[in-house]
Amino acid sequence: MKSLSTVHYASQLAVAGLSRFPKRAALVVITVALGIAACMTTLTLLHVLSADPLPGRSQNLYLAWVDTLMARPQHSAACSLNGVTCGVTFDRIKLHAAQTLLAAHRAARRTVVAGITINEVSGNGLYAENQKTILATTSAFIPMFGVALRYGRDWTPAEDAARDPVAVIDVQLARKLFGTADAVGQSVRLNKTLFRVVGVMQRFEPEPHFYALQEGTYDTWENMYVPYTAALDAGLEPDYSDDCDTGYKPPNGFIGTAPQHCASLGLWAQLDTPQQVANYRTFLQNYVDQQQRALASWGKQPESKLISVAQWLKEKQVVPASTRVNVWFAVAFLVLCMLNVMGLLSARFLRRRQEIGIRRALGARRGDVFLQHILEGGFACLLGGALAIPLTLLGLWILRRQGSEFASLIHVDPAMLGALIVLSIVVGALVGLLPAWRAAVIEPGLQVKSE
């Protein structure tokens, strides 16, 4: 009870000390608020950009790659563009390799992905969505990535094998083309082929769009999934490829994406244990070793890789380097603000040396004086933290107005709000520590004598 009463009394003195000189107290609060707000704005941006795109699943997903291109190696060395060195990394594979690896059943689930831009037209030809990206994949994609179905079902491995033109579309596309969310049984025309809708899904939009980054990193999604085999039968080709076999001439004469000759399919595997990861990595290397005779004439060494989602995002530098640099600048600004506040509090407390000396002479202990002044600094910083909340929201609003592709992601979640509160307490403790100690070690005899 005695300790509680001591804290209560020290708190009363701390509040009284803050209110005694309101202008100086306001200066402390504003300085702290600006430092915390700048730091939290940049940290929040880093937090949302580096968040797990698929919580609960991404830790078991791995991108698999093998090099089977009949071409000179380009990815193993640096490239030079206008005198600037750049690293080239390949991550997609050819159709034959994809089919072989899928058929091997060496992973719990495995799928290929390829984005295709196409006009989506309702079966009766009355409604269309122009230049939209669909995902050519396999039946494993929906359960493997946890896509939520609202109506109907996903297609089956048997429909994959039969190359059936079936599709799963999202709710927004169903309403656009058919006027109703439940579009199961309807048909969508892609080129000249009708794809029968077997399921309607909720919009699946992981951020970042890690499984097909070439289609976009943030604020990107596909509104339709189709079997990649049926897509190829319909004459559809992926939007991008890493490279093509030497000698292959694309029909358009400009860029080749045909999976038969170009590395245009991404292969993802679900591996639930470290042993499965090790076994699959060995399997990939064994497969590419078997291709060595065909590849040796191109001066290639057998190459494969198996990387996790986190490694993949890091390799592709999904979080801009400028974001991390801005965090360090904001931390430096916060430290500068803390030093200024420390100086303000020290000057403020030392102006009371005579008052402190008299209080000590009347029986107050050094610990009591220290507690009073560190609470005063802490209260000021908590007020600064409270003021930092609207300032942080303002900073995030300004970032959203920049029109970047990740603008819609920028918000304060409960975790970051809790971090702001913790940061305010830590800042209060750090900036108040030295000034409170200097106030506590004032010798009472000297101050009473001078008085």
Side-chain angles (χ1 to χ4, degrees):
M1 293 297 294
K2 184 177 180 180
S3 61
L4 289 177
S5 62
T6 301
V7 173
H8 178 68
Y9 182 60
S11 299
Q12 289 180 321
L13 293 177
V15 172
L18 279 177
S19 60
R20 189 180 304 173
F21 302 101
K23 291 183 180 179
R24 294 177 185 174
L27 181 60
V28 170
V29 170
I30 292 173
T31 304
V32 170
L34 290 174
I36 292 177
C39 194
M40 289 307 302
T41 299
T42 56
L43 283 175
T44 299
L45 180 60
L46 180 62
H47 172 70
V48 298
L49 294 185
S50 58
D52 187 342
L54 209 59
R57 291 181 181 271
S58 63
Q59 69 272 17
N60 296 327
L61 300 179
Y62 291 81
L63 176 69
W65 174 80
V66 291
D67 183 9
T68 60
L69 280 173
M70 302 296 177
R72 294 290 176 187
Q74 299 180 27
H75 55 278
S76 57
C79 69
S80 178
L81 182 63
N82 296 327
V84 178
T85 301
C86 56
V88 179
T89 59
F90 285 7
D91 49 73
R92 282 165 286 198
I93 60 179
K94 289 169 56 179
L95 177 63
H96 181 268
Q99 291 175 329
T100 302
L101 297 178
L102 288 176
H105 297 280
R106 295 298 184 94
R109 293 189 179 110
R110 56 257 176 253
T111 189
V112 296
V113 295
I116 299 173
T117 301
I118 189 76
N119 293 336
E120 303 161 329
V121 184
S122 60
N124 56 18
L126 297 180
Y127 304 97
E129 280 275 81
N130 297 321
Q131 293 297 294
K132 300 298 291 187
T133 300
I134 68 172
L135 188 70
T137 183
T138 70
S139 59
F141 182 88
I142 288 178
M144 183 171 163
F145 285 74
V147 180
L149 291 176
R150 185 165 176 181
Y151 301 104
R153 60 176 178 85
D154 51 349
W155 69 87
T156 65
E159 288 169 317
D160 266 331
R163 311 174 79 93
D164 286 346
V166 293
V168 173
I169 66 176
D170 72 6
V171 172
Q172 288 82 354
L173 180 61
R175 291 196 177 108
K176 173 75 175 182
L177 298 184
F178 308 111
T180 177
D182 187 358
V184 175
Q186 301 285 351
S187 295
V188 180
R189 185 181 301 277
L190 304 178
N191 275 357
K192 299 179 180 180
T193 303
L194 288 176
F195 284 75
R196 178 171 50 89
V197 177
V198 296
V200 178
M201 62 182 171
Q202 301 288 359
R203 178 181 289 183
F204 181 64
E205 191 177 2
E207 303 286 0
H209 187 244
F210 68 95
Y211 57 86
L213 288 173
Q214 66 278 1
E215 301 292 342
T217 305
Y218 297 98
D219 198 23
T220 300
W221 68 95
E222 299 86 8
N223 63 6
M224 182 176 180
Y225 302 159
V226 299
Y228 80 99
T229 50
L232 295 179
D233 290 345
L236 307 179
E237 288 190 1
D239 292 334
Y240 302 96
S241 70
D242 292 333
D243 197 8
C244 297
D245 293 332
T246 297
Y248 168 66
K249 303 296 183 183
N252 58 20
F254 176 62
I255 185 171
T257 59
Q260 295 87 346
H261 306 282
C262 303
S264 53
L265 300 175
L267 176 65
W268 287 88
Q270 178 182 324
L271 304 168
D272 299 327
T273 66
Q275 186 60 49
Q276 290 180 4
V277 174
N279 290 343
Y280 203 79
R281 183 172 282 115
T282 301
F283 162 67
L284 291 177
Q285 190 58 40
N286 289 339
Y287 173 79
V288 77
D289 285 341
Q290 294 171 7
Q291 313 302 312
Q292 179 59 17
R293 179 174 297 179
L295 298 175
S297 61
W298 298 100
K300 286 188 172 185
Q301 295 298 320
E303 286 192 78
S304 67
K305 68 180 177 183
L306 182 68
I307 58 176
S308 67
V309 172
Q311 293 171 321
W312 169 238
L313 297 179
K314 183 178 180 180
E315 178 179 301
K316 288 299 183 179
Q317 298 181 344
V318 168
V319 179
S322 59
T323 301
R324 302 186 188 278
V325 173
N326 289 337
V327 169
W328 285 112
F329 276 125
V331 170
F333 178 67
L334 176 60
V335 171
L336 181 61
C337 290
M338 290 171 62
L339 292 174
N340 286 331
V341 169
M342 193 178 297
L344 289 171
L345 290 177
S346 293
R348 181 186 179 91
F349 294 165
L350 291 179
R351 286 174 65 91
R352 307 178 192 161
R353 60 171 59 92
Q354 293 178 347
E355 173 188 326
I356 294 170
I358 293 172
R359 187 179 173 212
R360 288 289 313 282
L362 293 175
R365 296 169 299 178
R366 283 184 176 179
D368 297 330
V369 176
F370 179 84
L371 180 61
Q372 171 197 339
H373 289 86
I374 201 167
L375 284 176
E376 185 171 335
F379 288 161
C381 290
L382 282 177
L383 289 174
L387 179 60
I389 294 176
L391 292 178
T392 300
L393 295 175
L394 175 62
L396 296 178
W397 178 81
I398 293 173
L399 288 177
R400 285 194 294 270
R401 300 288 292 180
Q402 302 303 309
S404 60
E405 61 176 341
F406 49 76
S408 61
L409 300 179
I410 302 175
H411 65 281
V412 177
D413 58 20
M416 295 308 294
L417 185 60
L420 190 152
I421 296 172
V422 171
L423 182 61
S424 301
I425 295 173
V426 172
V427 168
L430 292 177
V431 303
L433 192 62
L434 179 60
W437 176 79
R438 294 184 66 185
V441 297
I442 291 175
E443 291 295 336
L446 295 174
Q447 302 307 321
V448 173
K449 184 178 179 180
S450 65
E451 181 66 17

